[in-house]
Amino acid sequence: MSILRLTFLGTSAAQPTLHRNLSGLAVKANTDLLLFDCGEGSQRQMVRYGTGFSVDAVFFTHFHADHYLGIIGFLRTLGMMGRDGAVQLYGPPTARRLLHQAVHLGVESLSFPVEIHELRDGDTVRRRGYSVQAVAVDHRINALGYVLQEDERPGKFNLEKVKEFGVPSGPLYGQLQRGEPVQLADGRTIRPEEVVGEPRPGRRLVISGDTRPCSAMVKASREADLLIHESTFSDDEQARALETRHSTAREAAQVAREAGARRLILTHLSSRHDTDPSRLLTQAREEFKGPVEVAYDGLTVELPLRD
């Protein structure tokens, strides 16, 4: 998987603002396009930020209205665009009931199949070159976070060593890179481990969804390349965070620190922090010393390959 690109479609909590739409994240994973949540207005944001509409699957963190109502119009738009391939919808239990209602709202039937799947803690969806795992989190209703884990990548190909062995360039190089031994014209056999380094870990992207800080998210985020964690509130709103089962920016940063995550992006901001999230950023940086930023609508992030 060469491409892992994220586009934040919506970064506001509960209600849209002039500057922030409701929750939505588009992830380009090689040739796949995934959505994580689809708040009202997400399809407009997809047009605005150029993600394209060729969505393969949508993963819902939970079924509060601000995280899923956008799927109704989005599916209708796909139908009008002539979509014929199936769309996969995933979410925690109640997904089949709620998403079935959303899919069939209105009089027009869709021109393509919509397949609805319920996920529970630990369930994994295999895709080509990566997987998406569900993680049960701590919110007011049944809710999931998600871990996108790239498959282990082959080790580095030692071109100088290959040339020393006298392997002719061409198809034999490919065989060695695929882990297959090759036989040379003089009868020698060159094994992959002689010219290819140790396998390299794949990239790890973690999306918290709506949650209180919890041990499950810490475990899921171990050495993650990027943790995207909700940070609805600031320190002075701690009581509100407890009441609504959300996190403060400081708590999100503590999760990142305990997990040893490489990078943290804060999202799902209360309207109180709409145009000035500086307090959230300051409080998070007091806890987490790695790179940390506050997401905004249209922010695009490319996760580089691990060495």
Side-chain angles (χ1 to χ4, degrees):
M1 187 171 70
S2 57
I3 299 173
L4 189 50
R5 180 190 306 124
L6 292 62
T7 303
F8 288 83
L9 304 176
T11 56
S12 182
Q15 61 188 38
T17 70
L18 182 62
H19 304 94
R20 297 177 184 272
N21 199 61
L22 296 172
S23 293
L25 177 70
V27 176
K28 184 69 172 175
N30 215 19
T31 58
D32 290 351
L33 181 60
L34 313 177
L35 290 184
F36 290 86
D37 287 332
C38 189
E40 183 183 354
S42 288
Q43 62 174 322
R44 173 70 168 78
Q45 300 291 82
M46 295 171 75
V47 173
R48 184 179 183 186
Y49 301 124
T51 64
F53 274 30
S54 300
V55 171
D56 297 279
V58 185
F59 293 85
F60 295 95
T61 60
H62 65 294
F63 294 108
H64 279 150
D66 57 316
H67 288 257
Y68 87 99
L69 286 186
I71 195 65
I72 298 171
F74 177 64
L75 292 174
R76 295 293 174 287
T77 296
L78 291 184
M80 287 188 289
M81 295 174 69
R83 172 91 180 214
D84 54 13
V87 175
Q88 309 294 325
L89 304 182
Y90 299 90
T94 70
R96 288 197 178 93
R97 176 174 61 85
L98 291 175
L99 291 177
H100 179 84
Q101 293 172 351
V103 168
H104 295 92
L105 185 65
V107 295
E108 307 93 349
S109 60
L110 294 173
S111 59
F112 56 91
V114 176
E115 299 175 6
I116 301 171
H117 313 269
E118 290 189 347
L119 300 176
R120 290 170 173 78
D121 183 44
D123 286 348
T124 299
V125 179
R126 280 293 312 166
R127 307 283 301 183
R128 188 174 62 177
Y130 67 97
S131 62
V132 179
Q133 184 179 37
V135 180
V137 295
D138 180 8
H139 194 40
R140 285 173 290 166
I141 63 172
N142 202 1
L144 298 172
Y146 290 103
V147 178
L148 190 156
Q149 177 65 59
E150 182 183 25
D151 292 350
E152 190 176 68
R153 295 165 48 234
K156 290 184 177 180
F157 187 64
N158 191 330
L159 184 58
E160 290 185 4
K161 196 73 173 176
V162 171
K163 289 180 177 178
E164 285 181 18
F165 282 128
V167 180
S169 61
L172 296 184
Y173 280 20
Q175 283 183 236
L176 288 166
Q177 289 175 310
R178 291 192 299 271
E180 303 168 5
V182 300
Q183 188 167 26
L184 304 184
D186 60 9
R188 287 181 297 140
T189 297
I190 309 302
R191 304 191 63 78
E193 55 266 28
E194 296 179 273
V195 296
V196 179
E198 291 295 316
R200 292 169 288 178
R203 290 162 289 186
R204 187 175 184 87
L205 167 65
V206 182
I207 301 162
S208 76
D210 286 11
T211 182
R212 289 289 299 145
C214 59
S215 59
M217 190 49 48
V218 171
K219 182 179 178 182
S221 304
R222 296 286 183 206
E223 299 184 354
D225 293 81
L226 174 60
L227 168 61
I228 300 172
H229 201 291
E230 72 122 297
S231 56
T232 312
F233 298 114
S234 59
D235 286 352
D236 59 328
E237 301 165 290
Q238 182 70 60
R240 183 70 175 146
L242 288 166
E243 176 189 356
T244 59
R245 309 310 294 168
H246 284 293
S247 297
T248 67
R250 185 179 300 278
E251 289 171 329
Q254 289 168 347
V255 170
R257 186 191 67 217
E258 291 177 31
R262 298 183 174 197
R263 181 178 179 184
L264 171 65
I265 295 182
L266 308 175
T267 190
H268 198 267
L269 277 58
S270 164
S271 58
R272 184 176 177 184
H273 307 286
D274 180 26
T275 58
D276 183 14
S278 58
R279 275 189 301 166
L280 302 181
L281 190 58
T282 296
Q283 291 161 14
R285 283 177 172 166
E286 289 173 355
E287 300 291 335
F288 179 65
K289 302 310 177 185
V292 55
E293 60 195 296
V294 177
Y296 55 85
D297 289 15
L299 172 64
T300 298
V301 175
E302 298 259 5
L303 287 189
L305 292 168
R306 288 195 180 193
D307 293 330

